[in-house]
Amino acid sequence: MRKHLFIILFSVLAHLGFAQQKSISITIDDVPNTTKYQKDNFSPMLLNVLDSLKVPFTIFINEDKIYKTEWLDRNKGLLEEWIKNEHAIIGNHTFSHSRYSEVGFESFVKDIEKGESLTKPYASKYNKAVKFFRFPFNDLGKDSTQHIHIREYLKSKKYTIAPFTVESSDWMFDTVYKYYLDNGETEKAKSIGEQYVDKTIELVHFYERMATSIYKRPIQHIYLCHDNAINADYLVEIISRLKQENFNIVSFEESLKDPIYKQKDTYYKKWGISWLYRYMDTQEERIKWMKQEPDISKIEALYNQINK
């Protein structure tokens, strides 16, 4: 009944012209990538790309990355550069990217709070708030009890859980991309980069089709990717392709104004699926759509081969 009422609301909003323009926001997890920063002679390549594009973006920070290399002061400076960027919205991604369903509530809460140590002071320095939280692995817990427990905690801390609708396994593409680059196989790396762009656009089309089928109108999509090498080199092409297809690149906060994100998440497992799936009433409906997803078995095979 609740979902039926939402569909009616969405139809009314569509009739009134809400979100008829296609839009998507860019969200980036696992910031800052200090290992790549050192490798690039302390040049923040992805941040530079985003800044040149003048598009809004949201970052989800793991502060443990500050301590991944010996250059502590430089790494803190990198984090501050990300946070102070005029186009950036700031989010917490825990300190160490722990998995909630495995570590449990108490440990996970400590990881959330530890992840605020540098981020909140830097954000405050630039008059920004840290009000969004994204779960590592998008793992909201192994069952409804864990889900409810952590939601209550995050609400008490005035955090909004960060959803997404589209992701394209960029972390798998990135692993293969870096492998080829590290081995001097630049043409193969270029091919992987191009495949990443094409597959991302294909997945955007898939989730567009799904959303339009369910809600009878375009929705304000949210893309999830990571601070990594392949995005430093190819996110610009993804954004260009999206603009060519008449997508507006909007802020995360603008995307969240879409009423679909007011729905109840009814998925009480640990897997990091799109929020479009989480809003479905039954597992049968999820499976029906999952069977139609674009095939990523080729990159999965290469990824698994490299990680043997």
Side-chain angles (χ1 to χ4, degrees):
M1 181 64 179
R2 180 183 174 90
K3 177 59 67 68
H4 180 65
L5 291 173
F6 263 102
I7 298 297
I8 293 173
L9 172 61
F10 297 143
S11 298
V12 171
L13 288 169
H15 180 70
L16 294 174
F18 183 90
Q20 289 301 290
Q21 173 65 54
K22 297 193 295 185
S23 73
I24 193 165
S25 54
I26 307 298
T27 66
I28 305 166
D29 290 4
D30 302 358
V31 173
N33 188 334
T34 54
T35 303
K36 178 170 171 54
Y37 183 53
Q38 180 180 347
K39 188 175 182 180
D40 292 334
N41 197 27
F42 304 106
S43 179
M45 304 301 286
L46 179 56
L47 177 57
N48 290 344
V49 166
L50 291 164
D51 196 46
S52 71
L53 293 172
K54 307 299 182 189
V55 296
F57 58 90
T58 298
I59 58 172
F60 293 94
I61 294 165
N62 298 120
E63 288 190 14
D64 75 327
K65 295 184 178 299
I66 300 298
Y67 308 97
K68 294 293 186 183
T69 74
E70 63 183 304
W71 304 97
L72 187 59
D73 289 340
R74 285 181 180 266
N75 294 344
K76 287 181 179 179
L78 173 62
L79 177 61
E80 185 171 358
E81 286 297 313
W82 273 103
I83 289 172
K84 79 177 187 181
N85 186 281
E86 64 179 312
H87 306 292
I89 292 172
I90 315 305
N92 186 342
H93 199 39
T94 73
F95 178 82
S96 66
H97 207 274
S98 55
R99 184 157 202 153
Y100 175 43
S101 67
E102 293 179 357
V103 304
F105 180 78
E106 298 297 334
S107 177
F108 194 67
V109 163
K110 288 178 182 177
D111 209 31
I112 293 172
E113 294 176 356
K114 190 175 180 181
E116 301 171 341
S117 301
L118 295 172
T119 301
K120 282 201 167 182
Y122 283 150
S124 178
K125 181 178 177 180
Y126 298 101
N127 298 312
K128 294 186 177 186
V130 184
K131 56 186 178 181
F132 298 109
F133 177 79
R134 177 168 278 159
F135 286 81
F137 309 100
N138 285 283
D139 176 350
L140 277 65
K142 62 186 178 183
D143 53 32
S144 60
T145 301
Q146 277 200 330
H147 278 239
I148 291 167
H149 205 182
I150 198 64
R151 282 180 182 278
E152 289 175 347
Y153 165 79
L154 290 169
K155 185 178 180 180
S156 75
K157 293 277 289 183
K158 296 183 169 54
Y159 274 120
T160 296
I161 295 172
F164 74 92
T165 56
V166 184
E167 68 93 23
S168 53
S169 300
D170 67 310
W171 50 276
M172 278 199 292
F173 282 97
D174 182 63
T175 297
V176 179
Y177 181 67
K178 288 188 298 185
Y179 175 82
Y180 286 141
L181 287 179
D182 290 344
N183 286 277
E185 299 181 89
T186 54
E187 287 303 312
K188 286 185 177 180
K190 181 182 178 184
S191 175
I192 293 298
E194 292 168 350
Q195 289 173 45
Y196 167 54
V197 173
D198 289 342
K199 189 59 66 174
T200 298
I201 299 303
E202 187 181 357
L203 281 155
V204 169
H205 292 162
F206 169 74
Y207 286 109
E208 263 196 297
R209 181 165 59 86
M210 179 197 294
T212 303
S213 173
I214 296 169
Y215 302 114
K216 313 305 179 188
R217 65 169 177 85
I219 68 163
Q220 298 188 170
H221 282 284
I222 300 167
Y223 179 57
L224 182 159
C225 62
H226 296 80
D227 183 3
N228 57 27
I230 203 164
N231 282 312
D233 293 340
Y234 285 93
L235 186 58
V236 63
E237 179 62 24
I238 290 171
I239 290 173
S240 176
R241 290 271 297 273
L242 289 169
K243 287 181 174 180
Q244 288 171 23
E245 297 194 11
N246 298 316
F247 275 91
N248 279 340
I249 310 301
V250 301
S251 74
F252 183 60
E253 289 175 320
E254 182 65 28
S255 290
L256 291 179
K257 291 178 182 178
D258 193 316
I260 72 157
Y261 299 112
K262 302 298 184 186
Q263 295 177 91
K264 184 179 180 181
D265 176 357
T266 61
Y267 182 77
Y268 297 118
K269 297 181 181 181
K270 66 180 183 179
W271 308 113
I273 59 177
S274 167
W275 258 249
L276 292 177
Y277 289 126
R278 291 178 180 274
Y279 297 143
M280 292 178 181
D281 289 329
T282 66
Q283 185 66 3
E284 288 73 21
E285 186 179 6
R286 293 185 189 107
I287 291 170
K288 180 192 77 172
W289 280 104
M290 286 177 178
K291 287 180 177 179
Q292 301 176 54
E293 284 186 9
D295 180 31
I296 60 168
S297 59
K298 183 178 179 181
I299 196 65
E300 284 180 340
L302 286 170
Y303 175 84
N304 290 331
Q305 182 180 343
I306 287 168
N307 282 284
K308 278 184 179 178

